[in-house]
Amino acid sequence: MDDDQLAEELRLTIGRLVRTVRAADTLPSGEAAVLGYLDRGGPLTTADIAHQWGVSHQSTARAVKDLLAQGFLRAEAHPSDGRKLLLRLTPDGSDRLAAERRRRADWLGTAIAEALAPDEREALAKALPLLSRLDAHLKGR
């Protein structure tokens, strides 16, 4: 298999796996993404999240509105620009995100244990640093 074929197979396979795992989510994907960005990046504006996520400000604003209504986020004045609001996770938001991540990991972990032989699980574990290096390389471009 040449590099282009490998790249396409990797893209398709990872995409299918991500979609399959997300199917088990109980939190809408947009809301989960916003919570995740705030968890990883600390307080951000709606525009910051939209930019990092690569979606429209309107899409992000809908998810933010729903998360605020559920008490998973709080908004406060931006320290350097009074026209903006800075979004922060609440303890309930952190707990909800952690529960969703645990559910995903448990579901995927069960599938790994049931579907893969020990040597296959070892091969999968050895591939993780390679995938991380690819991710870092692509982000550095």
Side-chain angles (χ1 to χ4, degrees):
M1 181 178 304
D2 69 20
D3 287 350
D4 289 340
Q5 290 170 315
L6 177 60
E8 182 60 10
E9 285 298 316
L10 180 63
R11 185 190 68 77
L12 290 170
T13 301
I14 289 176
R16 282 192 304 266
L17 179 62
V18 167
R19 285 186 296 279
T20 299
V21 171
R22 282 187 182 155
D25 287 355
T26 59
L27 190 63
S29 63
E31 293 178 20
V34 169
L35 292 176
Y37 281 109
L38 291 170
D39 181 59
R40 288 184 301 276
L44 298 166
T45 66
T46 301
D48 293 334
I49 295 167
H51 177 74
Q52 288 181 24
W53 191 12
V55 299
S56 72
H57 186 277
Q58 292 80 6
S59 295
T60 306
R62 277 192 299 275
V64 165
K65 180 182 170 194
D66 292 341
L67 291 165
L68 286 166
Q70 295 173 73
F72 294 156
L73 301 181
R74 75 172 193 272
E76 57 191 45
H78 193 283
S80 62
D81 187 342
R83 299 168 296 167
K84 296 179 181 179
L85 291 175
L86 206 53
L87 302 168
R88 291 185 186 273
L89 281 176
T90 64
D92 285 346
S94 291
D95 291 347
R96 182 67 173 91
L97 180 61
E100 195 71 16
R101 286 175 172 167
R102 275 191 310 275
R103 185 179 0 273
R104 284 180 189 171
D106 289 347
W107 195 58
L108 185 55
T110 298
I112 289 169
E114 292 174 355
L116 301 180
D119 61 322
E120 292 171 321
R121 290 194 297 273
E122 188 176 320
L124 182 60
K126 287 180 180 178
L128 294 177
L130 300 176
L131 295 172
S132 292
R133 275 192 10 227
L134 283 173
D135 179 53
H137 179 79
L138 291 169
K139 285 179 179 171
R141 289 190 144 188

